[in-house]
Amino acid sequence: MTISERYRKILEQIEIEADRLYEVLPENTVKALRQVDRAAEEMQDFSESVGEIPQFQLESKLSPVLLKAHSCLDRARVLLEDAGHSKEGSTVWEMEQLVYRLLNDL
């Protein structure tokens, strides 16, 4: 699977999980949910053009975006775990790991 395919797949997974989390979590977790949304928003800017980025520029173009997305997901995870939603925190942790692995592969 190419970097661009993985990037788009990760973004899609984050968006799907964000929708699911909004359905299952109470309103007092809105701060954490907003962080998941921010992660998707960060990645959304490159979702169409990621396949057009030359290989030698992938790291410099995508690393800052992936780091921001990872940071947002990490904040969301901590907020969810602090609010007693460890199962959902684990789900966010898995998304963090997807972003982290892609970042390492750049």
Side-chain angles (χ1 to χ4, degrees), residues 43-91:
M43 293 181 69
Q44 191 66 41
D45 290 340
F46 281 100
S47 68
E48 295 298 321
S49 63
V50 68
E52 299 167 8
I53 300 171
Q55 184 71 31
F56 66 93
Q57 291 182 351
L58 276 174
E59 183 178 359
S60 65
K61 298 267 187 193
L62 295 183
S63 290
V65 173
L66 293 171
L67 286 169
K68 286 179 189 175
H70 186 276
S71 177
C72 291
L73 291 170
D74 192 51
R75 280 189 221 113
R77 179 186 56 81
V78 169
L79 289 168
L80 288 171
E81 289 174 352
D82 286 349
H85 300 285
S86 59
K87 180 181 175 191
E88 288 77 10
S90 294
T91 299

Side-chain angles (χ1 to χ4, degrees), residues 2-97:
T2 66
I3 295 291
S4 60
E5 290 170 336
R6 287 176 59 196
Y7 186 93
R8 289 184 189 113
K9 185 174 173 113
I10 291 169
L11 174 58
E12 181 181 344
Q13 287 179 283
I14 291 172
E15 290 172 336
I16 289 169
E17 282 303 320
D19 291 343
R20 189 188 70 76
L21 290 172
Y22 271 104
E23 291 176 9
V24 299
L25 289 171
E27 284 193 32
N28 68 344
T29 59
V30 73
K31 206 177 216 182
L33 296 173
R34 182 67 189 123
Q35 289 298 316
V36 176
D37 286 340
R38 284 188 62 208
E41 289 168 7
E42 289 292 338
M43 293 181 69
Q44 191 66 41
D45 290 340
F46 281 100
S47 68
E48 295 298 321
S49 63
V50 68
E52 299 167 8
I53 300 171
Q55 184 71 31
F56 66 93
Q57 291 182 351
L58 276 174
E59 183 178 359
S60 65
K61 298 267 187 193
L62 295 183
S63 290
V65 173
L66 293 171
L67 286 169
K68 286 179 189 175
H70 186 276
S71 177
C72 291
L73 291 170
D74 192 51
R75 280 189 221 113
R77 179 186 56 81
V78 169
L79 289 168
L80 288 171
E81 289 174 352
D82 286 349
H85 300 285
S86 59
K87 180 181 175 191
E88 288 77 10
S90 294
T91 299
V92 174
W93 172 253
E94 291 170 15
M95 290 186 291
E96 276 185 79
Q97 292 306 303

